[in-house]
Amino acid sequence: MARLHLFDLDGTLLHGTTAPVEISRQLGLEAEAVALDEAVSTGLIEPPEYAKRARELWTDLTEAHVEAAFEGAPWLARIRDVWAEIRGDGDYCAVVSLSPSFFVERLTGWGAHAAYGSRFPAVPFSEPVDPAGVLNAAAKVLIADRLCAEFGVQRADCIAYGDSGSDKDLFGAVPISVAVNADRHLSEISTHSYVGRNLWEAYELVRRAR
């Protein structure tokens, strides 16, 4: 039976940062993005409000900024190697993140079968963010179920990788989970825990588990 590997982005594939922070860094607005991340992670604001404020922060954002943010971000090592082996084994890999879709979807170019993020308008922005397209923790489980149906697998065949509270629902829905550079609350409910900067090492924890 094929397996489906579900990867978070912020703090998981990206080490110690988030896509919005990396995007904002290109505009000289890193501190403002860090404050936004703190507000949503502590529950002061909900994801739709977070997306609305991020959109306002990125008024001058261009595709060149997004490209520079993606290329210059502190990615974990060997992401493409992991996804190449997953594909070679006949398994599936997907990224499900609360970060903007225009950043997350670039990871299909690295080998992910699918990549889902909160839906933002096209860059440069000419429209507001639609709150209905903004993801939350519960949406990760719904997307995982949708991917299971698409790929012909069950929840029992899924492995989740994440680092924070936005991954708790998904960790609770699948049988195997890997906490990657995670906070204590997630590490305590995960099957495995990894600290480091090489995705292959995290993947090794579940590589041969069937």
Side-chain angles (χ1 to χ4, degrees):
M1 176 65 71
R3 300 185 299 175
L4 171 58
H5 297 256
L6 297 156
F7 295 89
D8 173 53
L9 173 65
D10 300 321
T12 303
L13 298 178
L14 288 173
H15 185 266
T17 188
T18 67
V21 168
E22 295 306 303
I23 293 165
S24 300
R25 193 191 312 277
Q26 299 299 318
L27 298 167
L29 298 169
E30 178 182 357
E32 289 84 345
V34 169
L36 267 183
D37 279 359
E38 178 69 15
V40 74
S41 66
T42 57
L44 291 177
I45 60 175
E46 295 298 319
E49 178 63 20
Y50 175 92
K52 176 178 176 290
R53 295 189 189 185
R55 158 70 175 79
E56 292 168 352
L57 198 63
W58 298 335
T59 300
D60 298 324
L61 189 65
T62 67
E63 275 292 333
H65 291 128
V66 178
E67 178 69 19
F70 187 88
E71 293 299 327
W75 298 101
L76 262 61
R78 301 194 67 185
I79 293 173
R80 281 171 275 199
D81 291 342
V82 170
W83 292 351
E85 173 156 306
I86 288 171
R87 281 179 167 269
D89 287 343
D91 291 338
Y92 301 95
C93 52
V95 181
V96 186
S97 170
L98 275 57
S99 274
S101 53
F102 61 76
F103 190 95
V104 181
E105 289 169 359
R106 289 171 175 262
L107 288 167
T108 57
W110 284 13
H113 286 91
Y116 285 87
S118 293
R119 288 199 306 272
F120 271 64
V123 176
F125 300 135
S126 61
E127 303 170 2
V129 176
D130 180 357
V134 177
L135 304 186
N136 56 24
K140 287 193 171 188
V141 179
L142 296 176
I143 291 171
D145 285 341
R146 190 184 313 156
L147 290 169
C148 282
E150 179 180 345
F151 298 137
V153 302
Q154 307 295 321
R155 278 194 190 181
D157 306 312
C158 293
I159 301 168
Y161 304 74
D163 76 303
S164 66
S166 69
D167 302 300
K168 289 181 71 173
D169 288 7
L170 187 57
F171 272 36
V174 303
I176 301 176
S177 54
V178 183
V180 179
N181 297 317
D183 59 38
R184 175 178 58 84
H185 301 292
L186 197 68
S187 296
E188 288 175 351
I189 64 168
S190 65
T191 313
H192 304 279
S193 185
Y194 170 74
V195 177
R197 301 192 67 163
N198 190 318
L199 188 63
W200 187 273
E201 294 171 355
Y203 171 59
E204 281 269 317
L205 298 173
V206 297
R207 186 182 180 197
R208 298 307 178 197
R210 288 285 176 180

